[in-house]
């Protein structure tokens, strides 16, 4: 197993400084870069462990705190395990923070994250791979369409509202995407009903995007997050297999 080095880094943005977690193999390098977009619960030990797992596989991984405008991570206090009883109170605090991250702000930030990786001695030259979870899946999709020259592939898992009726729905950037795209949807996910899954599929197909979308049977929204009650071990390992396969095909 490859030893990894994980550190906290600061990324200058148009609106301040975003704190982030950077993980990469402890020896050799530079290594192909992965930008990992957090779920709504934010930058915390679970996401750092996920970044470390990717670093063990030979990648340099950046996990930004996309809520940095509201403070350094953790932006809100979280229980060690987020279950159905604690979730409502957590989202009561997170809701306004999530709503404040508009698509324009998020994509301006994405440019800063990508520039930082381009300048990092730990990251190899060339485009990056994106992966995102829950709200991060939408950020990955938007970033792939906003910065096509910087994104070689993008993945999203248990994403919500990826293809809504909103005029700024993430799926509307499909026509600009040049990357290969993979989505692993949760079939027990009210934030991404079947009609949105189909709308996303149709948009990617119409745009000629190389893509593969799967619905994980029996999986709930958040199935990759082991510090929540939504976690599903089988779905999580399936996600790792799909993500690592995408990375191997890309780099």
């Amino acid at each position: 197993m490859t030893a990894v080095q994980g550190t906290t880094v600061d990324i200058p943005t148009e609106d301040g400084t975003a704190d982030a977690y950077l993980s990469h193999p402890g020896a050799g390098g530079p290594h192909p870069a992965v930008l990992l977009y957090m779920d709504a619960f934010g930058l915390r030990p679970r996401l750092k462990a996920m970044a470390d797992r990717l670093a063990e596989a030979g990648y340099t991984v950046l996990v930004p705190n996309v809520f940095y405008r509201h403070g350094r991570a953790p932006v809100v206090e979280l229980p060690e395990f987020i279950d159905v009883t604690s979730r409502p109170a957590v989202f009561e605090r997170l809701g306004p923070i999530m709503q404040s991250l508009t698509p324009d702000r998020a994509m301006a930030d994405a440019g800063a994250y990508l520039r930082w990786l381009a300048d990092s001695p730990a990251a190899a030259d060339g485009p990056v791979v994106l992966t995102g979870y829950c709200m991060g899946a939408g950020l990955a999709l938007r970033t792939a369409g906003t910065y096509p020259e910087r994104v070689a592939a993008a993945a999203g898992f248990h994403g919500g509202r990826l293809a809504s009726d909103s005029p700024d729905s993430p799926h509307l950037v499909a026509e600009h995407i040049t990357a290969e795209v993979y989505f692993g949807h949760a079939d027990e996910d009210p934030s991404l009903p079947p009609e949105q899954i189909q709308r996303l599929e149709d948009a990617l197909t119409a745009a000629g995007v190389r893509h593969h979308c799967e619905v994980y049977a029996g999986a709930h929204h958040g199935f990759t997050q082991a510090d929540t009650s939504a976690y599903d071990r089988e779905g999580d390992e399936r996600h790792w297999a799909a993500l690592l396969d995408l990375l191997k095909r890309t780099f």
Side-chain angles (χ1 to χ4, degrees):
M1 183 176 295
T2 302
V4 303
Q5 180 178 339
T7 56
T8 298
V9 298
D10 287 339
I11 301 173
T13 73
E14 293 179 3
D15 292 334
T17 301
D19 54 309
Y21 180 70
L22 180 71
S23 184
H24 57 84
H31 302 276
V34 178
L35 175 58
L36 191 159
Y37 276 122
M38 62 184 231
D39 62 354
F41 296 130
L43 182 52
R44 61 194 192 282
R46 170 59 182 171
L47 292 188
K48 292 179 180 180
M50 293 173 73
D52 289 346
R53 181 165 174 173
L54 287 173
E56 288 172 357
Y59 304 100
T60 290
V61 188
L62 182 69
V63 191
N65 167 25
V66 304
F67 295 153
Y68 71 89
R69 292 175 180 82
H70 299 270
R72 298 180 72 85
V75 175
V76 302
E77 184 177 352
L78 297 171
E80 289 188 12
F81 185 77
I82 305 166
D83 58 17
V84 293
T85 59
S86 59
R87 186 179 294 260
V90 171
F91 271 105
E92 184 177 357
R93 299 193 297 273
L94 284 174
I97 296 173
M98 294 170 64
Q99 292 174 12
S100 71
L101 185 64
T102 64
D104 286 347
R105 285 177 173 174
M107 290 305 95
D109 292 343
Y113 307 148
L114 292 169
R115 286 191 298 273
W116 192 92
L117 279 169
D119 293 338
S120 172
D125 292 339
V128 309
V129 169
L130 314 173
T131 186
Y133 302 86
C134 300
M135 62 169 280
L139 294 176
L141 181 58
R142 288 190 195 278
T143 302
T146 306
Y147 300 95
E149 73 287 352
R150 290 290 295 126
V151 179
F157 299 92
H158 46 79
R161 296 184 59 78
L162 296 177
S164 71
D165 294 325
S166 170
D168 61 1
S169 175
H171 79 287
L172 297 176
V173 305
E175 63 182 314
H176 304 296
I177 293 174
T178 58
E180 180 180 355
V181 173
Y182 174 89
F183 282 99
H185 306 305
D187 72 344
E188 303 291 333
D189 190 349
S191 71
L192 195 74
E195 59 268 23
Q196 288 200 39
I197 291 175
Q198 188 60 54
R199 188 179 295 142
L200 174 62
E201 176 76 28
D202 291 345
L204 294 171
T205 300
V209 177
R210 292 168 297 149
H211 70 280
H212 185 56
C213 299
E214 298 182 292
V215 177
Y216 289 26
H220 294 264
H221 184 81
F223 64 80
T224 64
Q225 301 304 305
D227 58 353
T228 78
S229 56
Y231 181 68
D232 179 83
R233 182 177 297 277
E234 182 178 351
D236 184 33
E237 289 307 313
R238 183 177 173 184
H239 132 263
W240 280 113
L243 178 57
L244 290 171
D245 185 58
L246 179 65
L247 286 162
K248 288 176 183 177
R249 290 199 306 275
T250 303
F251 293 125

